[in-house]
Amino acid sequence: MADIANDPGRERTGATSWTGRIRSYLGVPLHKHGRLVAAVGLLQLTPRDWRPHEIELLQQVANRCWESIERARAQAHFREQWETIDTALANTPDFTYTFDLDGRFTYINRALLSLWRKSLDEAVGKNFFELDYPPDLAARLQRQIQQVIDTKAPVKDHTPYTDPLGDAGYYEYIFVPVFGAGGRVCGVAGSTRDITERERMSRALAASQQKLQQVFAQAPVAIAVFRGPEFVVELANPSYEALLGGRELIGRSLADIVPELSENVWQAFHRVMATGEPFVANEFPVLYDQNCDGQAEDHWFNLVYHPLREGDGSVSGIVAVCSEVTAQVRSRQDLERVNRELEEFAYVASHDLQEPLRMVGIYTELLLGRFLPENPVALEFGGFVREGVQRMQKLIQDLLTYSRVIHNDGASSEGADLNESLGQALRILGSRLKEAGARVTAAPLPVVAGDTDQLMHVFQNLLSNSLKYRDTGRTPEIRISAAPCGGQWTVCVEDNGIGFQQQYAERIFGLFKRLHKDEYSGTGLGLAICQRILERYGGRIWADGRPGEGATFYFTLPDVGAQ
Amino acid sequence: VSIRILLAEDNRADVMLIREALAVHRVEHELVVAGDGEVALRLVAHMGEPGEMACPDLLLLDLNLPRADGIEILRNFRQHPQCALTPVIVVSSSDMPRERESAAALGISRYFRKPADLQGFLEIGALIKDVLATDR
C-alpha cells in the first residue's frame, strides 16, 4: 500500500493515534502446506511506492525468519522426545546403549551407568577396552559389534559375570543394526538383560527333570504310560521293559506287544478308561509269556492302573505301576503246600504209624495172657514189648506236638497270660507233683506275646523236667518268677534237682538229646518243643546248671505291648 | 434179647477185639461186619429189604475205611427212615477234630478212640451196654 490515505478499507481497520501517522506499508504472507501461518509487514510514515525487489527481499526475510522459528521448535521437540526416551530407558532394569560405527558408546542408559559408576560424559566415546572390560570379553563384544555392522543382522549371545559381591550371574544381550538413510547402517543399538534367575530356574528345572528321569529309569517298580483306546505305550521304564522280556514297547499298542495277555488285564484297563477310577490290586495274576519262550505262565503283581485325565476331565490313557510278586506268591504257595503235606504227615503219623503199634501192644497182651499166663519169662518179655510200644507211642505224640508247634500260629493279639499257662500246667501235672511231694512257688507272672496253650506246654515241659530230674534226697522245690527287661520279660524256672554240667547247657535243647539216657525215660523232644514255641513268639530259652545243685531255666518273651 | 449190631471195620484184628469185648461184657448179639466202605454202603442202602440185613440196633463205625468215606456211610445210615435215631458209636484210631465234628453233626452217641492197651479196648463192651441202655 503506497498511501494509506487511499486505502478504502482504512475505516475498517480502526485508525489509532499512531496508525494515523503511518502512510504506507508492505506485507507478505507466509504459507505452509497451503495455509497462511504468518505475515511479515514493513511500515513507513511517508507514502512509498514499493519496488518489486523490496517486496522480494521482505518475502525472503520472512521465509528465513520462519525457518528459524521452525528449526527452534523442532529442536525443542526433539529434546523433549529424547528426554522422554532417555527417562524411559533409564528406568528399565535392562541395560540399553548404542555404538557408533567404530564401536564406541554413543548412548548408555542410567542402569548401565550406575553399574559402571560413571557419568554419561565419562563413558560416551569409549569402547569396551577403554571401559576396562576383561580383554577376552571386550574383544568378543567389539567383534560382535563389527559383525552386526558388516552383516546388517542382529547378534544374540550371553555371558557369565561375577557381581561385586562375588556372586555368579548370567547376562543375555542382543546387538542390532541401526539403519540410516538409504539403508546404510549408521550405528548399533544393544540391550543386555540379567538372566541369572531365569538361568537358575531353568537349571533347577533341568536338574529336577533329570532326577525324575533317574527315578523313573532306576525305579524298582515297573512304570508305563499307555495312551488312547489302543493303549499305545508312550513311556516305559527299564523295569517295565524287563517285565516284557525286552520286547519293543514305545509306540506300539498293548495288543500288539502282548497278544497272549490274559483277559483280566484287558478288563481292568477298559474299566479304568470307562470309569476313570484307578484299579488297585495285590497279587493280581497275569497270564503271559514273560521270557518270550512261547510259554504263557501266571505271574503275580501288586499294581495300580491309574487314569490319565485331559484338561476337560476325559480319560485319555493309563499309568501302570506294577511290581512283580511272583516269587513271594510262589513261595507262599509252596509253604501252604508244605503245610498241607505236614498236616497229612501228622494224620499219617497219628493214624497209620500208631495203628500197627496198637496191634502189636494189644495182641502181645492177648497172646501172653491167653497162651503163656503162667510163664514168668514170657511175661517179662511181654513187659519189654509193652514198654517199647509205649515209648514209641510217646515219641510219635511228641513228634506230632513238635510239628504242630512249628506250624500252628495260635497267638492272639491280646497275648498270653502266663499265670493261666502255668495254672493249666500245674493242673495237668497235679498228681505227679503230689506224688513227688514237690513244693511249687510262683510269683505273679506277666501277659506276654504268645499263645496261652502253647506256653502251657513250655511250663509243663520245664516242670516235668524238674520233677523227672529231682534229687531224691530232698523235697523238690520249684520256684517260678518273672522280671521285665527292655520290652521283654524274662521268666525263670528254678529247681533243686540233680542239675547238669554247664557244658551241656546248649545241647539239651537239641532234638532227641538226653543227658540222662539210661536212668530217665523221655523222648528228648520236650526242650526242643519249648525252644520252638518261644522262638515262634520272638523269645528264647537257655539254662544254667551245676551238678547236684539244681537247674535254672530262663526264657524270654516280648511284652504284649511290644509285639 | 439179642442185639443186632452192624460193624463197619476193615481191620480184622479190631473186629476180633470187638467180638472179645462183647463176649467179656456178655452182650448177646448178632454181628454183621462190613469189611470195607463199599460193602458198608451197600448194606446200608438195602437194610430192611426182603432177603437183606434187617435194620441194626446199633452201628459201630470206623471212619477210616477203604473205598468209601465213613462220614458218607453215617449220612446214608441216618437217611434211612428206620435208622434216624439208631445209636451210633464211632470207633476210630485217629482223633481229627474235623472228623469228630462232622460225625457229631450227623448225630452219634459216642466217639470211641481205640486205646493202645487191651484193657482199655475191651472197655468198648461196657460202652456199648451203656449206650444201648440209655440211647435205644
Side-chain angles (χ1 to χ4, degrees):
Chain A
M1 181 61 61
D3 190 346
I4 284 171
N6 304 328
D7 183 4
R10 187 167 60 106
E11 295 304 318
R12 257 191 306 126
T13 58
T16 64
S17 57
W18 69 270
T19 52
R21 291 165 59 209
I22 293 166
R23 292 300 302 272
S24 67
Y25 75 89
L26 174 63
V28 294
L30 264 168
H31 288 97
K32 199 78 186 170
H33 310 303
R35 251 181 70 226
L36 177 71
V37 293
V40 176
L42 203 60
L43 309 171
Q44 198 167 311
L45 298 177
T46 53
R48 183 181 181 102
D49 274 330
W50 300 97
R51 305 276 176 79
H53 73 270
E54 288 170 336
I55 297 170
E56 174 67 16
L57 182 68
L58 186 63
Q59 186 70 56
Q60 278 182 9
V61 168
N63 286 349
R64 293 268 158 78
C65 283
W66 188 248
E67 273 172 22
S68 295
I69 289 167
E70 279 202 318
R71 198 174 302 123
R73 278 185 179 172
Q75 272 177 356
H77 181 67
F78 178 75
R79 185 160 299 279
E80 276 170 19
Q81 272 197 330
W82 176 244
E83 288 297 335
T84 307
I85 291 169
D86 186 40
T87 305
L89 293 177
N91 289 294
T92 71
D94 294 346
F95 306 141
T96 320
Y97 40 85
T98 57
F99 305 98
D100 61 19
L101 295 177
D102 295 327
R104 291 176 193 284
F105 280 96
T106 49
Y107 169 77
I108 301 126
N109 77 339
R110 214 175 294 163
L112 185 52
L113 286 172
S114 69
L115 175 77
W116 286 343
R117 298 175 186 284
K118 282 187 165 58
S119 69
L120 187 62
D121 290 339
E122 285 171 322
V124 161
K126 291 183 174 151
N127 62 22
F128 283 109
F129 292 106
E130 290 155 350
L131 286 162
D132 296 328
Y133 267 54
D136 286 359
L137 179 59
R140 179 170 117 200
L141 295 169
Q142 296 299 150
R143 196 172 57 243
Q144 286 172 329
I145 293 166
Q146 192 58 48
Q147 185 188 331
V148 171
I149 296 164
D150 294 345
T151 62
K152 301 186 178 181
V155 166
K156 201 171 171 179
D157 203 352
H158 56 83
T159 178
Y161 72 86
T162 307
D163 71 11
L165 292 173
D167 289 331
Y170 271 91
Y171 285 135
E172 180 186 67
Y173 59 90
I174 183 166
F175 295 158
V176 297
V178 180
F179 295 104
R184 188 178 50 83
V185 175
C186 63
V188 172
S191 81
T192 297
R193 175 166 290 185
D194 190 330
I195 55 160
T196 309
E197 187 62 12
R198 200 180 79 193
E199 197 70 3
R200 195 186 60 74
M201 303 247 304
S202 90
R203 272 160 200 261
L205 189 67
S208 95
Q209 270 175 342
Q210 198 192 352
K211 261 184 220 153
L212 264 177
Q213 179 63 31
Q214 275 178 355
V215 169
F216 181 70
Q218 296 169 11
V221 291
I223 308 168
V225 175
F226 297 88
R227 282 280 181 199
E230 298 297 317
F231 305 116
V232 173
V233 176
E234 191 176 275
L235 213 62
N237 71 349
S239 294
Y240 208 94
E241 286 166 5
L243 285 186
L244 285 158
R247 300 179 214 207
E248 185 76 27
L249 301 182
I250 306 297
R252 293 176 65 199
S253 74
L254 188 58
D256 194 20
I257 299 165
V258 211
E260 76 278 15
L261 189 61
S262 54
E263 187 55 31
N264 58 346
V265 176
W266 287 109
Q267 284 170 355
F269 264 54
H270 286 301
R271 208 174 87 192
V272 174
M273 292 298 275
T275 63
E277 296 289 323
F279 177 84
V280 183
N282 281 333
E283 296 186 2
F284 187 69
V286 180
L287 180 71
Y288 74 107
D289 180 8
Q290 186 174 79
N291 46 11
C292 303
D293 63 356
Q295 288 286 311
E297 285 176 340
D298 262 325
H299 295 265
W300 286 266
F301 296 91
N302 290 349
L303 53 80
V304 180
Y305 296 149
H306 207 278
L308 282 172
R309 288 182 186 279
E310 292 300 295
D312 63 359
S314 64
V315 179
S316 69
I318 287 172
V319 187
V321 181
C322 330
S323 103
E324 180 159 10
V325 291
T326 304
Q328 291 92 309
V329 170
R330 290 236 172 96
S331 71
R332 205 195 49 233
Q333 287 175 341
D334 283 351
L335 190 70
E336 283 165 359
R337 189 175 45 74
V338 166
N339 278 345
R340 258 199 317 279
E341 284 171 2
L342 231 129
E343 273 172 35
E344 279 163 25
F345 164 76
Y347 179 79
V348 167
S350 75
H351 181 260
D352 293 14
L353 287 183
Q354 294 189 66
E355 266 303 90
L357 213 51
R358 195 167 56 77
M359 289 298 115
V360 172
I362 290 178
Y363 276 89
T364 303
E365 276 183 70
L366 262 177
L367 205 60
L368 293 173
R370 192 154 299 177
F371 300 106
L372 299 162
E374 311 298 338
N375 188 327
V377 179
L379 289 178
E380 193 188 355
F381 288 2
F384 293 148
V385 174
R386 195 163 46 239
E387 264 175 40
V389 166
Q390 281 168 356
R391 250 191 71 63
M392 188 73 193
Q393 273 172 336
K394 183 83 177 74
L395 263 174
I396 291 171
Q397 275 160 15
D398 280 2
L399 260 179
L400 270 174
T401 310
Y402 182 73
S403 76
R404 283 202 197 111
V405 163
I406 297 173
H407 293 95
N408 288 3
D409 186 359
S412 71
S413 54
E414 292 98 58
D417 185 346
L418 286 181
N419 298 299
E420 201 180 311
S421 301
L422 177 63
Q424 283 178 23
L426 289 173
R427 269 193 297 282
I428 287 172
L429 294 169
S431 59
R432 282 181 61 197
L433 287 165
K434 211 167 170 186
E435 220 172 88
R439 223 172 18 231
V440 180
T441 45
L445 299 176
V447 175
V448 292
D451 172 66
T452 308
D453 284 342
Q454 291 184 343
L455 295 176
M456 180 274 286
H457 257 290
V458 171
F459 279 122
Q460 192 189 336
N461 270 307
L462 294 180
L463 294 172
S464 139
N465 256 349
S466 291
L467 284 181
K468 199 188 287 176
Y469 303 113
R470 67 178 180 269
D471 186 334
T472 45
R474 56 186 173 225
T475 305
E477 282 184 23
I478 306 170
R479 282 182 301 278
I480 299 137
S481 59
C485 177
Q488 298 243 328
W489 284 91
T490 303
V491 180
C492 170
V493 178
E494 191 182 359
D495 66 39
N496 61 349
I498 60 169
F500 57 88
Q501 289 192 337
Q502 188 60 30
Q503 68 198 80
Y504 299 122
E506 279 185 33
R507 246 183 64 185
I508 54 176
F509 295 101
L511 275 180
F512 302 112
K513 286 287 187 278
R514 296 167 61 210
L515 293 184
H516 311 278
K517 224 168 195 158
D518 302 328
E519 313 97 290
Y520 298 90
S521 65
T523 58
L525 277 170
L527 289 175
I529 290 172
C530 290
Q531 191 175 38
R532 284 291 158 157
I533 291 174
L534 294 165
E535 281 173 357
R536 261 202 90 80
Y537 299 111
R540 57 191 199 93
I541 184 166
W542 68 98
D544 281 344
R546 292 254 290 279
E549 290 182 24
T552 308
F553 284 83
Y554 301 92
F555 66 84
T556 63
L557 278 169
D559 187 69
V560 79
Q563 283 179 71
Chain B
V1 184
S2 188
I3 304 298
R4 283 167 306 184
I5 300 174
L6 171 58
L7 170 61
E9 171 64 78
D10 62 314
N11 187 336
R12 284 177 45 230
D14 283 339
V15 173
M16 237 163 98
L17 284 174
I18 286 169
R19 283 189 199 278
E20 189 80 18
L22 289 167
V24 166
H25 288 272
R26 299 182 208 291
V27 181
E28 287 272 326
H29 66 277
E30 293 167 35
L31 191 66
V32 177
V33 180
D36 69 38
E38 231 169 56
V39 172
L41 277 178
R42 202 172 55 238
L43 282 174
V44 166
H46 298 290
M47 283 184 312
E49 290 176 11
E52 298 286 339
M53 184 191 82
C55 284
D57 299 313
L58 172 70
L59 171 63
L60 294 178
L61 176 65
D62 184 352
L63 290 177
N64 305 292
L65 292 172
R67 284 192 282 284
D69 178 32
I71 295 296
E72 194 190 342
I73 296 166
L74 179 56
R75 189 178 297 115
N76 288 7
F77 184 77
R78 283 284 178 238
Q79 279 166 2
H80 193 283
Q82 285 164 48
C83 299
L85 298 171
T86 304
V88 174
I89 299 175
V90 167
V91 183
S92 178
S93 53
S94 80
D95 193 22
M96 305 266 284
R98 207 170 347 118
E99 275 186 358
R100 260 179 186 262
E101 283 159 24
S102 28
L106 289 166
I108 58 169
S109 299
R110 300 291 160 86
Y111 192 102
F112 183 74
R113 189 160 180 214
K114 294 174 185 171
D117 64 297
L118 180 61
Q119 216 45 51
F121 202 110
L122 295 181
E123 279 305 305
I124 193 169
L127 187 73
I128 289 168
K129 269 172 112 171
D130 186 38
V131 165
L132 287 174
T134 56
D135 291 7
R136 204 162 134 215

